Amino acid sequence: MANFEKNHPLNLAGPLFVDTTCIDCGTCYHLGPEIFKEKKNQSTIAKQPENLNEWSAAKRAMVSCPTNSIGVKAAPEIFKSAEINLPLLISENVYYCGYTSKDSYGASSYLIVRPEGNYLIDSPRFGAHLVSEFEKLGGIHSMFLTHQDDVADHALFAEHFKCQRVIHEADVNGDTQDVEHILKTSELPQDWDHDLKIIPVPGHTRGHIAFLYQNKFLFSGDHIFYDPDSQELTSSKGVCWYSWTEQIKSTKSLLQEDFEWIMPGHGGWGHLGSQQMKHALENLIQKMEQK
């Protein structure tokens, strides 16, 4: 639970608060962009919720915060009526899971609901509410892990739903050595079923992979991100653990693909037209080469 005694001094006064245990993972910024703002490398309250929709956004951020740093003191009556609505439908049959884990630094995970069996991209925190909602949506058939950092509670979900997990061999460690399907570099890129393409994108880690669903949604993990303010793609040399040269090379490889949505492991998701996305990629590559 968030601790009001550690209330961040830059919070706007009111019932909703963020305490100073925040790790600035970015989870709350895209769930309530008007409510939560970054100040001095931590989340703070910039606007107190005023209506049901804003309190619902605040609730989603509260339950999704990996460090339980968001709380309410003397909750107003409207707070009780606000719905969490997680997983949150983003577009078509693609959902944001919320319930991020401190073990993966608050990384995002996504559920794709399909008649042939649902896909889970990376792992959220295992909890009763989310498990129940997954069950209502048809469970999990396959879990795809972009890289070793964002696996969170993958083993608990695999045990509960009896789903197969997929990861690249270069990112297997002691926590993921029992994954059912370990991909080799020589097998990639690879089409999985009829609607998912697995694309090698080394750089952040040696075995990082991205997943392209229906030539529309790119699940990029920690490879590339989206800045909702500028509507540009970004990438971080500071958290490139394997090779920046390889990261630039693998980013260039994405120019061969068509997609409209970027669904990253951190920060918000973004939607651009396919040509706009290519231009955004070209601009990103140019910036990466200058670093």
Side-chain angles (χ1 to χ4, degrees):
M1 297 291 290
N3 185 350
F4 189 71
E5 292 183 1
K6 297 180 179 180
N7 182 33
H8 198 291
L10 297 179
N11 284 331
L12 182 68
L16 186 68
F17 69 94
V18 179
D19 73 25
T20 54
T21 63
C22 167
I23 59 173
D24 197 27
C25 70
T27 296
C28 61
Y29 302 141
H30 63 275
L31 291 175
E34 300 301 321
I35 299 170
F36 302 94
K37 297 294 183 182
E38 183 181 32
K39 293 181 180 178
K40 296 185 178 180
N41 299 317
Q42 285 191 315
S43 173
T44 63
I45 304 300
K47 179 183 185 296
Q48 287 290 334
E50 297 177 353
N51 55 51
L52 197 60
N53 286 338
E54 289 180 349
W55 274 112
S56 291
K59 264 191 176 179
R60 283 191 287 274
M62 286 177 65
V63 301
S64 296
C65 175
T67 51
N68 294 316
S69 300
I70 304 171
V72 177
K73 184 176 176 63
E77 191 65 28
I78 194 174
F79 177 78
K80 300 176 184 178
S81 303
E83 299 288 339
I84 293 173
N85 294 329
L86 287 172
L88 178 68
L89 180 63
I90 299 172
S91 179
E92 298 182 16
N93 57 332
V94 177
Y95 293 76
Y96 166 76
C97 297
Y99 291 90
T100 70
S101 170
K102 187 176 181 180
D103 292 339
S104 56
Y105 204 78
S108 298
S109 56
Y110 304 91
L111 182 73
I112 304 173
V113 176
R114 312 162 60 249
E116 307 93 328
N118 297 344
Y119 294 152
L120 182 63
I121 310 292
D122 286 327
S123 174
R125 187 170 71 244
F126 191 86
H129 173 82
L130 194 59
V131 168
S132 175
E133 293 302 308
F134 281 171
E135 289 172 344
K136 292 175 186 176
L137 290 168
I140 302 169
H141 179 271
S142 301
M143 185 190 310
F144 298 91
L145 303 171
T146 57
H147 65 297
Q148 60 187 303
D149 299 344
D150 296 351
V151 300
D153 290 338
H154 71 99
L156 294 176
F157 282 104
E159 180 180 2
H160 183 87
F161 288 102
K162 309 303 179 189
C163 61
Q164 62 176 336
R165 294 160 291 175
V166 179
I167 195 170
H168 191 284
E169 62 178 348
D171 271 29
V172 173
N173 56 29
D175 185 41
T176 53
Q177 60 186 350
D178 295 329
V179 165
E180 291 76 16
H181 197 105
I182 297 175
L183 298 165
K184 296 181 179 180
T185 301
S186 59
E187 299 174 327
L188 299 175
Q190 176 185 144
D191 290 326
W192 188 281
D193 207 338
H194 65 283
D195 55 5
L196 192 74
K197 184 175 183 179
I198 304 175
I199 304 168
V201 284
H204 175 72
T205 62
R206 184 181 176 190
H208 200 300
I209 45 183
F211 303 98
L212 179 60
Y213 176 65
Q214 290 188 337
N215 292 317
K216 184 178 287 188
F217 299 89
L218 182 74
F219 298 88
S220 60
D222 288 358
H223 182 246
I224 57 176
F225 309 101
Y226 178 74
D227 183 343
D229 294 327
S230 64
Q231 294 189 320
E232 295 181 345
L233 300 179
T234 65
S235 189
S236 175
K237 190 174 183 179
V239 293
C240 179
W241 311 129
Y242 172 56
S243 167
W244 187 243
T245 299
E246 289 298 313
Q247 188 145 335
I248 294 172
K249 182 179 177 181
S250 61
T251 303
K252 288 180 178 178
S253 74
L254 294 176
L255 289 170
Q256 304 172 27
E257 311 295 342
D258 288 319
F259 58 96
E260 301 174 11
W261 285 86
I262 180 79
M263 320 295 287
H266 294 275
W269 47 86
H271 180 232
L272 301 171
S274 58
Q275 286 304 311
Q276 282 182 286
M277 194 65 78
K278 284 194 185 298
H279 290 319
L281 264 178
E282 290 168 350
N283 290 338
L284 171 60
I285 292 164
Q286 185 176 21
K287 291 177 182 178
M288 292 174 72
E289 290 178 329
Q290 294 172 351
K291 291 184 179 181

